[in-house]
Amino acid sequence: MLKSTLTPIFSTFPAKPSYPKLLTRAISCTLTPTPPTAQQNASPNIFTTPQLPPTSAYIHLPFCRKRCHYCDFPIVALGSSSTQTYGDGDDDDPRMSNYVQLLCREINATKVNFKSHPPLETVFFGGGTPSLVPPRLVSSVLDLLREKFGVSSDAEISMEMDPGTFDAKKMEELKALGVNRVSLGVQAFQDELLKACGRAHGVNEVYEAIEIVNSCGVENWSLDLISSLPHQSPQMWERSLRLTVEAQPKHVSVYDLQVEQGTKFGTLYKPGEFPLPSDVQSADFYSMASATLSDAGYNHYEISSYCQDGFECKHNFTYWKNKPFYGFGLGAASYVCGMRFSRPKKMRGYIDFVQNLENGTMDYTGNSKIDTRDLATDVVMLSLRTATGLDLKSFQGTFGSSVVCSLCEAYKPFVESGHVLCLNEQRRVLAADEYNTLLLNEGVIGKGLAYIRLSDPDGFLLSNELISVAFGVVAP
């Protein structure tokens, strides 16, 4: 599941990932959508795709051995002695088998209101700890997805996996099912930090998991880290980053801990107070990660995401590009036909939801009027999370030149401070004086001025405030 409780910025703005929390409230706004040009109709972009059929699916498998102290996700704790760790034996835990049956019922009852439906290009198993689920149950989900929607032969099929929950046999079985990308929840390379977080694995299991992934020939794998943990020192963080680079994953996700109400950490700690680091120390951790991973050849392509060339997470790009997606399972969110919908986070509520879906009394996939104001705020938030930034020409083509000009004016002081970067069509960064001169000329958008993005790391660190500035323009 998208690490919405782990954010690389230091206030309450949402972070991944496997789905982002988006603004969908009603907002007073004077935006007027511009009819798409013939070129836009021929080549849909992130502003014109909400009504297209989804080509991505998020599957929530909520099972964990125990709840981590920072976790507020919808999970089912099986207990540390769960016999499902490596999937041995013929008998599945009934909690898992019953849930997967319910999940498949939801998928099967989902209406497909499109004349044609291209096959899924990405599937993401999040949790929870999906690697606890026996491969035969994973197979039943994938088989149904292929039957219901089709799955492309070269689809990216990702699974979140925790150290200590799989062996080489299980990894090979998952590969045979089509799983070709692994997101490994390491979080730290210090036993004392893992124990303090309530993680069920230790450092030895981290090294064993990395060895299994590599020995099984999984090239496309990601390593997850958490910074700003209780009692975490700069030396500890530097070591975790160094060992991550030495492990040579193709992708790295770095999340800054956010203390959530209702969690054990929420009871024990207050953000910014010892033993948690201060905001300044957290910012230093973020800057250290950016510098270390960039120096090691990783591209910082999204606020919390780094990758080697060509190994961006295709599934997460569905979110950053504001494309529609299916979500199935406990607490999962979907974005279909311009409508964002989250399932109940409690099992009883989810059971009722599936029953209503089967009975025809619930339909979240029907056509709904797309609110231009909501779409604009979503696009701004998602685009500015990425290194690509906001495509001003496309934004202007959909929402009008007035709002783009106002946005560029609002960002002038941040361009001068270096927190916001403005680029031309060749993605050359414009100097502040050059930017100010261009703003005096009409028709500059898409020619001299093509993109706005946040700088790395300083702009990303202030992304809450900078995106709020944009919201003040787009939705005053």
Side-chain angles (χ1 to χ4, degrees):
M1 169 166 279
L2 181 65
K3 306 293 191 303
S4 57
T5 59
L6 304 171
T7 173
I9 42 188
F10 309 113
S11 58
T12 58
F13 202 83
K16 106 276 192 217
S18 297
Y19 58 87
K21 299 176 183 176
L22 304 179
L23 285 180
T24 53
R25 66 184 188 276
I27 303 174
S28 175
C29 184
T30 57
L31 287 175
T32 301
T34 303
T37 64
Q39 182 178 7
Q40 287 173 321
N41 279 326
S43 181
N45 56 39
I46 64 174
F47 313 123
T48 60
T49 58
Q51 297 285 17
L52 296 177
T55 56
S56 294
Y58 171 80
I59 311 296
H60 190 63
L61 300 178
F63 305 100
C64 288
R65 289 179 286 182
K66 56 188 291 191
R67 181 179 288 278
C68 298
H69 298 339
Y70 52 76
C71 175
D72 71 342
F73 298 158
I75 71 162
V76 176
L78 300 174
S80 298
S81 60
S82 170
T83 59
Q84 298 296 325
T85 299
Y86 299 116
D88 296 330
D90 295 325
D91 296 328
D92 297 325
D93 187 314
R95 292 169 292 183
M96 290 188 179
S97 56
N98 291 341
Y99 174 81
V100 169
Q101 289 177 9
L102 185 64
L103 174 68
C104 288
R105 285 170 54 193
E106 182 198 350
I107 295 172
N108 203 43
T110 298
K111 294 181 180 179
V112 181
N113 298 322
F114 303 99
K115 293 181 179 180
S116 62
H117 200 303
L120 298 176
E121 297 173 0
T122 73
V123 177
F124 195 103
F125 290 94
T129 308
S131 50
L132 282 172
V133 178
R136 54 183 165 269
L137 295 181
V138 175
S139 177
S140 65
V141 177
L142 284 171
D143 288 346
L144 183 55
L145 290 176
R146 292 185 174 102
E147 177 185 340
K148 181 79 175 184
F149 306 107
V151 177
S152 175
S153 60
D154 60 349
E156 176 191 89
I157 303 179
S158 303
M159 177 174 284
E160 292 180 345
M161 306 180 73
D162 277 0
T165 64
F166 63 99
D167 56 10
K169 178 176 180 293
K170 194 172 198 178
M171 186 73 258
E172 291 289 2
E173 290 177 351
L174 291 170
K175 279 186 59 183
L177 297 178
V179 175
N180 52 24
R181 185 179 183 276
V182 168
S183 181
L184 192 62
V186 171
Q187 317 311 5
F189 280 87
Q190 292 80 25
D191 278 321
E192 59 268 38
L193 292 184
L194 293 172
K195 184 177 181 180
C197 289
R199 297 292 290 178
H201 69 265
V203 173
N204 288 339
E205 289 171 306
V206 168
Y207 290 121
E208 290 172 2
I210 292 173
E211 172 60 28
I212 291 169
V213 170
N214 286 327
S215 66
C216 290
V218 180
E219 180 185 18
N220 190 3
W221 68 282
S222 178
L223 191 151
D224 287 0
L225 291 176
I226 304 177
S227 65
S228 301
L229 295 170
H231 300 287
Q232 188 176 41
S233 67
Q235 292 76 23
M236 289 177 173
W237 184 234
E238 185 279 330
R239 175 175 169 78
S240 287
L241 290 170
R242 175 167 51 82
L243 292 174
T244 295
V245 171
E246 291 178 4
Q248 298 183 337
K250 297 298 185 183
H251 188 283
V252 181
S253 294
V254 176
Y255 305 106
D256 193 270
L257 177 70
Q258 179 151 331
V259 178
E260 298 286 353
Q261 292 184 353
T263 66
K264 187 170 182 177
F265 275 3
T267 302
L268 295 174
Y269 307 127
K270 291 185 178 180
E273 295 184 7
F274 185 82
L276 297 180
S278 67
D279 284 354
V280 172
Q281 291 172 315
S282 293
D284 289 341
F285 284 157
Y286 186 82
S287 298
M288 189 187 303
S290 179
T292 301
L293 294 171
S294 296
D295 289 346
Y298 290 88
N299 303 315
H300 195 178
Y301 72 96
E302 189 270 335
I303 281 181
S304 57
S305 305
Y306 303 77
C307 72
Q308 295 181 12
D309 289 343
F311 286 92
E312 295 86 354
C313 179
K314 295 178 182 178
H315 182 83
N316 282 350
F317 260 124
T318 298
Y319 308 135
W320 312 142
K321 293 183 177 181
N322 206 39
K323 295 172 63 177
F325 57 91
Y326 291 113
F328 300 110
L330 186 71
S334 57
Y335 179 36
V336 182
C337 293
M339 181 177 180
R340 299 190 187 276
F341 180 85
S342 293
R343 285 138 195 79
K345 293 185 177 182
K346 299 293 185 180
M347 192 63 73
R348 181 66 258 176
Y350 178 58
I351 292 172
D352 292 342
F353 162 77
V354 173
Q355 290 175 341
N356 290 335
L357 195 64
E358 290 175 324
N359 295 336
T361 58
M362 167 72 71
D363 180 13
Y364 63 90
T365 61
N367 290 326
S368 61
K369 184 177 180 180
I370 299 175
D371 190 307
T372 305
R373 298 162 295 184
D374 289 347
L375 180 59
T377 52
D378 286 352
V379 167
V380 167
M381 183 189 80
L382 295 169
S383 297
L384 292 181
R385 289 183 60 94
T386 69
T388 300
L390 180 64
D391 183 332
L392 295 175
K393 185 176 181 179
S394 293
F395 196 79
Q396 176 178 268
T398 303
F399 303 110
S401 59
S402 176
V403 67
V404 173
C405 291
S406 297
L407 182 61
C408 291
E409 284 290 337
Y411 273 147
K412 282 176 67 173
F414 302 102
V415 173
E416 294 173 357
S417 67
H419 292 93
V420 173
L421 302 179
C422 300
L423 302 87
N424 64 13
E425 285 190 306
Q426 290 73 43
R427 297 198 64 82
R428 178 179 67 84
V429 177
L430 306 177
D433 290 345
E434 188 177 4
Y435 173 73
N436 291 335
T437 301
L438 285 172
L439 291 186
L440 299 175
N441 302 320
E442 294 184 3
V444 70
I445 303 302
K447 297 179 181 178
L449 181 58
Y451 301 92
I452 285 181
R453 61 154 295 182
L454 308 186
S455 61
D456 178 15
D458 293 341
F460 280 156
L461 282 168
L462 289 181
S463 57
N464 287 356
E465 292 78 0
L466 295 173
I467 292 174
S468 294
V469 169
F471 284 179
V473 173
V474 174

